[in-house]
Every structure is written in C-alpha cells, then in structure tokens.
Amino acid sequence: MLIKGDDPGTALLLAAAPANKSRLVDAASVLPGLAAVAPAVLAGTAAATVVELADPVDPQTVLTRIRAVAAAPGPLFLYVAGQLHLDGKQHQVHLALARTTPASLRYTALPWAWLAHELQVRAPGTTTVLVDLVCDPTAWERGAQDGLALGPGVLLYGRAAPAPRRQVATPDYLKTYAEVWRGGARPSLAELHAYAADRAGHDNARYLALDGTPSGGGAGPVQAPPVPGAAPVPVQAPPVPAVQSDPHPAILAAAQAGRHGEAASMAAVWESEAMRTYGPGSLEAVHWLEVRADLARLALEPARSCELWMAAAQARLARHQSTDDTDVQAAVDRAHHQWEQLRDPDRARSLGPALVTLRRQVAGRRRGALEAVQRRIEQLEAVPAAGR
C-alpha cells in the first residue's frame, strides 16, 4: 500500500459512539489494534503522522482536527468507526459522538456533510477514507448507508450495517485491517477490503467501494472486488510482498499474549496466500493449516484443533503421502490427543466417526489407538440422555 511521494502522510483514527444508552457499537475497541500498526502502513507513506480521536465529545473539536489534517499536503487516510443517525428535521446523516442522544443529535453529533466539505479542499486521489459504521433503525430504513460518498477524488472503502438487536456491535471490518497489517501482509486496499468484508460477514450489511468519480451525481464503484449489499464476496487472498520477514514469531507472540483471535487471523491470511500462490493442496498451504491447528490448541479450543489436525492429515493423505509418513502420523496423533481433551460429550461424539476413519488408515505410533477411540465412543453413547 506504499504511496510514492516526498510529502509525509497523515492517518486520522476516529472512533466515536455515545457514552449512554444510545450506544450501538463499541467503536473505540478498534483503536488499540490500529494504533499498534506502524504509522507508515496506516498512511501508506515512508514517513507519517497519526492522530487519534477516541470517543470525542464536541463536534467542533472533531471538525477542527479534520480541517487540520485535510490541510496537510501529503496523502491522508481517515479511519472512522462509529454509528450513524438521521436528524428528524433535515434528514441529514450524522456521526454520533460521546454526548449524542436522539434529542440532542443536531447539536452533539458530527454532520457527515461537514466531513465531505472539508475533504474537498484536497487534491483528487490523495484522500482515502475507511469506515466501519452501524446505523440506527431509522437511518438504516431511510438509506443513510447509501449517502456516504465524500465527493470527487475521495476513495471510500467500508462497511455500513444495521444495529444488532440486544447487543453492542463491534467494528470487525476495521479490526481485520489491523490484524492483517500487524501480521506483516501488505495487500492492496481493494483486496484487503474484500477479505475484511468476508471476515466481517454479510448479514444485511452494505459494503462500500467508491472512487469518488462523478456518475450521475454520485460516486462510482472502484474497479476492484465489488461487494454490494449482502452478496457473496469474491475474496482474493492478500498478496505477500516479495521481501517479507518470517511471520511466525509475531503470530506466536500474539497467541502467547492471549490475543488468540489476532493470531488466528494472521495465520489465516498466510494460509490464503499460500493457497493462492502454491495451490490448495500444497505443502505450504498444509503447513499453515497445521499452524492454525496448533493455535487452536493454545487457545484451549480442542474441538477446533482436532478438526484442523484431521483436515491436515487428510490433506497430506490426499497428496499421496504414506500412512507411515512421520508428518501424517503426527497430525493424526495430535487430532486424537485434542479429541481426548474434549469435555463436551456431544462434540466428542460428533467428531468421533471422522477420527475412527483416520485411525483405521493411520494406526500411528501409539499402540491400540483405534481401539481407544472406539472404546471412548461406546462410553459416550452409553451416557444416559439426561446426562447429555
């Protein structure tokens, strides 16, 4: 994503949501991940400045910050997580701030039009805005998510979704950006947008890819993976640069620090890249499948780890590796071990038949392994229904 040019870039991280019962999204939860990304990556330039606004209170203060970064000569990247509302009189889109309530919306929230206006002073093609937004019911019903274009020359990628019922949403779309970048991959924004959209899910969400080109008074779609509405996303795995440091230490460090979701996401990105480059059944892809299996073990998810180790064993057998191959045996043995850690009888029963099939092919280095699996399955089946 590195942009050539002499001027340093600027990244503005804006996460805003009401600090009251009107709160629909935990917007600020995205900031630690983004703040841990190198400024040069966030701004796409060799040198960069990062400005962070966490749950700001006053719209005029936010406007002043936006105006200041918009005046900078280099590339500008805005990362916006929050929630959208429509005011009852003029039906304009507003980004809620910390003190925003339905009654005070016009005075305590940031009008989206203010953001669009400030960005129009910039040279076309120098501004990129990445958004992860939740719409309140009225804003969603009246199509606020379709009115987010920021004018000519402003590139916009993002997600707008209806507010979930009975829970506070999380900015998973932008969190995926942070996880991928922290894992060392540097895909293009178009590819990363498609990958993040796929990870975040498509239930009623609208995914935006607008290049700011006038088209009937609106903004035209970027010629990249299009993601309209809830349609399936044609995800392409993010490409890895030709020169890349070993990602394994960063992944292991995240897992050991308890950031298991982040570690799993990084490994999944590298697995996708291996599949794209070398093929789904390649040793490179199988390696990352096994990394994910071990990460699930570290996360104390034995069912997931068992599934992944069985998938790895099946992938190696599909490559015509022999049943006495060390790697094949190790994968089956590890799947067996994780299955034995399961304390949920139903989950153990559901995974048992696949493990039996593998054990019949791969006896492993442990004598009586097949019989041990069959014996436990019989014991599980004997558990009274009331105890299940």
Side-chain angles (χ1 to χ4, degrees):
M1 194 181 78
L2 192 65
I3 298 174
K4 295 180 180 180
D6 297 329
D7 292 321
T10 303
L12 172 61
L13 315 181
L14 170 58
N20 52 55
K21 63 181 181 180
S22 298
R23 190 182 191 89
L24 302 176
V25 59
D26 184 11
S29 66
V30 76
L31 291 178
L34 286 174
V37 177
V41 176
L42 290 173
T45 53
T49 298
V50 177
V51 179
E52 184 176 314
L53 290 175
D55 285 326
V57 171
D58 179 40
Q60 291 293 337
T61 299
V62 177
L63 178 63
T64 299
R65 292 294 185 90
I66 293 173
R67 186 170 293 164
V69 297
L76 173 62
F77 279 73
L78 269 65
Y79 298 80
V80 183
Q83 63 188 64
L84 299 180
H85 299 259
L86 287 179
D87 75 76
K89 291 188 177 181
Q90 299 179 339
H91 304 294
Q92 291 185 342
V93 179
H94 287 66
L95 180 71
L97 302 182
R99 292 180 181 172
T100 299
T101 65
S104 67
L105 180 67
R106 295 181 62 197
Y107 311 102
T108 59
L110 179 77
W112 195 256
W114 286 11
L115 176 60
H117 177 75
E118 295 303 325
L119 297 182
Q120 289 314 297
V121 304
R122 297 184 51 79
T126 64
T127 308
T128 302
V129 180
L130 301 157
V131 301
D132 198 342
L133 303 167
V134 170
C135 302
D136 84 329
T138 301
W140 184 258
E141 290 171 6
R142 297 187 182 180
Q145 66 277 11
D146 296 321
L148 299 179
L150 293 166
V154 178
L155 183 65
L156 173 69
Y157 282 115
R159 173 180 71 160
R165 295 182 179 180
R166 294 185 294 276
Q167 64 180 1
V168 175
T170 55
D172 296 325
Y173 170 84
L174 279 182
K175 283 186 176 183
T176 299
Y177 276 66
E179 290 172 358
V180 169
W181 283 333
R182 291 177 67 182
R186 299 292 181 263
S188 69
L189 282 177
E191 290 169 316
L192 185 49
H193 166 67
Y195 179 74
D198 184 65
R199 288 291 307 280
H202 315 296
D203 291 344
N204 297 320
R206 179 163 179 77
Y207 289 93
L208 310 166
L210 309 175
D211 64 2
T213 301
S215 176
V222 174
Q223 297 304 311
V227 197
V233 180
V235 177
Q236 295 180 351
V240 180
V243 178
Q244 184 62 259
S245 59
D246 181 5
H248 293 82
I251 293 172
L252 181 60
Q256 291 176 335
R259 302 193 306 273
H260 298 293
E262 178 185 330
S265 295
M266 288 191 286
V269 170
W270 283 90
E271 181 187 11
S272 296
E273 169 59 17
M275 292 172 66
R276 184 186 71 85
T277 304
Y278 303 104
S282 64
L283 285 175
E284 291 81 1
V286 174
H287 165 75
W288 285 106
L289 181 60
E290 292 175 339
V291 169
R292 291 172 56 214
D294 207 40
L295 289 174
R297 176 188 65 83
L298 293 173
L300 302 180
E301 297 178 358
R304 182 63 176 153
S305 183
C306 175
E307 288 176 325
L308 292 170
W309 278 120
M310 286 196 294
Q314 291 161 350
R316 288 187 178 278
L317 289 171
R319 290 179 49 82
H320 305 294
Q321 291 180 239
S322 66
T323 56
D324 60 357
D325 182 279
T326 301
D327 291 327
V328 173
Q329 289 186 343
V332 178
D333 286 346
R334 287 165 181 163
H336 189 163
H337 176 73
Q338 289 299 297
W339 182 74
E340 289 182 332
Q341 308 310 305
L342 284 169
R343 296 296 173 260
D344 180 349
D346 291 334
R347 197 74 180 96
R349 269 190 295 268
S350 69
L351 292 174
L355 184 57
V356 167
T357 299
L358 270 177
R359 272 303 184 204
R360 284 177 176 154
Q361 293 177 272
V362 184
R365 294 162 292 185
R366 176 176 159 188
R367 293 186 61 183
L370 172 60
E371 291 76 11
V373 176
Q374 293 173 322
R375 187 164 49 251
R376 188 185 182 205
I377 290 176
E378 291 173 358
Q379 293 170 349
L380 291 168
E381 292 296 341
V383 175
R388 294 185 182 180

